[in-house]
Amino acid sequence: MRTLFLVILCLIAAPILSAEESDASDTVFPQKLTAGELRLYCAASAMSATGLQRRRYCDGFLSGVEESVRVLGLISSREAPLSLCVPANVSARQLRAVFVKNSAAIKPPKDKPAAMFAI
């Protein structure tokens, strides 16, 4: 019984121990994502793992931009109108879809930061 337990434990542990360690290093900020890169990430195919990862990155990036603009509007001392207004019931997926649709006709400037392009 003890031998069977050890064999099962080895079979379970083998894939875990042999898994490759992620080659992703610590992220250095600022990342300086360009407008063109953001558009590529947002329009990536959902058919591959890389495409799904890029779409998730886009969702988070656009959500972060929306949140930042909203917070900046709340703490800003000037009475400038916000250039971004997202209803409360819009999901990150819907935000990405609108971004991809609207940015398809715009040629992103190479030197423009992605956040400015998203806004």
Side-chain angles (χ1 to χ4, degrees), residues 67-116:
E67 181 81 6
S68 298
V69 169
R70 195 160 32 93
V71 168
L72 212 75
L74 292 173
I75 63 172
S76 177
S77 61
R78 56 183 160 74
E79 294 288 328
L82 291 176
S83 60
L84 182 65
C85 180
V86 179
N89 60 349
V90 174
S91 70
R93 181 179 291 177
Q94 291 169 318
L95 191 59
R96 181 186 66 237
V98 168
F99 174 79
V100 169
K101 180 181 174 188
N102 292 333
S103 69
I106 304 170
K107 182 180 178 189
K110 294 187 184 288
D111 60 340
K112 191 172 190 178
M116 288 179 70

Side-chain angles (χ1 to χ4, degrees), residues 3-5 13 15 18 22 27 30-31 41 53 64 66 73-74 77 81 86 91 94 115 118:
T3 306
L4 180 62
F5 177 72
S18 68
S22 175
T27 304
Q31 291 184 346
Y41 286 8
Q53 184 178 13
E66 185 272 332
L74 292 173
S77 61
V86 179
S91 70
Q94 291 169 318

Side-chain angles (χ1 to χ4, degrees), residues 6-92:
L6 287 174
V7 169
I8 291 173
L9 183 62
C10 288
L11 289 174
I12 292 173
I16 296 170
L17 295 175
S18 68
E20 283 187 39
E21 194 173 303
S22 175
D23 61 345
S25 61
D26 285 342
T27 304
V28 178
F29 290 100
Q31 291 184 346
K32 298 184 181 177
L33 184 68
T34 65
E37 291 170 332
L38 178 63
R39 188 164 70 175
L40 275 173
Y41 286 8
C42 292
S45 171
M47 299 296 284
S48 68
T50 302
L52 285 172
Q53 184 178 13
R54 286 180 175 176
R55 284 178 152 215
R56 281 189 225 117
Y57 181 87
C58 174
D59 290 350
F61 188 90
L62 292 176
S63 295
V65 167
E66 185 272 332
E67 181 81 6
S68 298
V69 169
R70 195 160 32 93
V71 168
L72 212 75
L74 292 173
I75 63 172
S76 177
S77 61
R78 56 183 160 74
E79 294 288 328
L82 291 176
S83 60
L84 182 65
C85 180
V86 179
N89 60 349
V90 174
S91 70

